[in-house]
Amino acid sequence: MEKVVITFQPLDKSVKVRLGTTVLRAAREAKVHISTRCGGQAGCLMCKVLVEPEQAAALTSPTEAERRKLGFQIEQGYRLACQAKIYGQGVVQVPEDPLKAAIRKQLERQQDDSDDSLW
């Protein structure tokens, strides 16, 4: 069976997988963390990834479950990693975990406040 390379950004990690592999499975093989709680059943919406328009052909078309769950976000390029299957070589953007993003922003604010107090 044919294999293709999928790259996960911004981590710049690539993995070679069989056609038809889900993005979630490919991410696990590449040791890229994508959160999920539903076991890949399109139930939790935690495994959203972003696919730029020029990369969309690398994945199968959105499933009906994805369309119902993501709604307008499909037009913005979001896909569910548990549902999107790899159809060709491409690049997938893994958004920063929301909790990590909130912590990072808080730490940045604290650092800015510390820097301001030095003057």
Side-chain angles (χ1 to χ4, degrees), residues 33-79:
H33 178 74
I34 296 178
S35 296
T36 183
R37 285 193 183 146
C38 68
Q41 303 302 309
C44 68
L45 300 179
M46 292 179 69
C47 68
K48 285 189 244 179
V49 294
L50 186 59
V51 180
E52 299 295 332
E54 62 274 5
Q55 296 293 319
L59 304 179
T60 55
S61 296
T63 64
E64 188 55 37
E66 274 186 285
R67 289 187 184 285
R68 278 194 318 273
K69 297 286 185 172
L70 291 174
F72 71 92
Q73 290 181 326
I74 291 253
E75 281 73 43
Q76 295 174 335
Y78 284 95
R79 298 292 305 271

Side-chain angles (χ1 to χ4, degrees), residues 65-97:
E66 274 186 285
R67 289 187 184 285
R68 278 194 318 273
K69 297 286 185 172
L70 291 174
F72 71 92
Q73 290 181 326
I74 291 253
E75 281 73 43
Q76 295 174 335
Y78 284 95
R79 298 292 305 271
L80 294 178
C82 69
Q83 299 295 300
K85 293 184 178 176
I86 299 166
Y87 187 69
Q89 185 166 313
V91 177
V92 173
Q93 300 290 327
V94 180
E96 185 176 21
D97 178 88

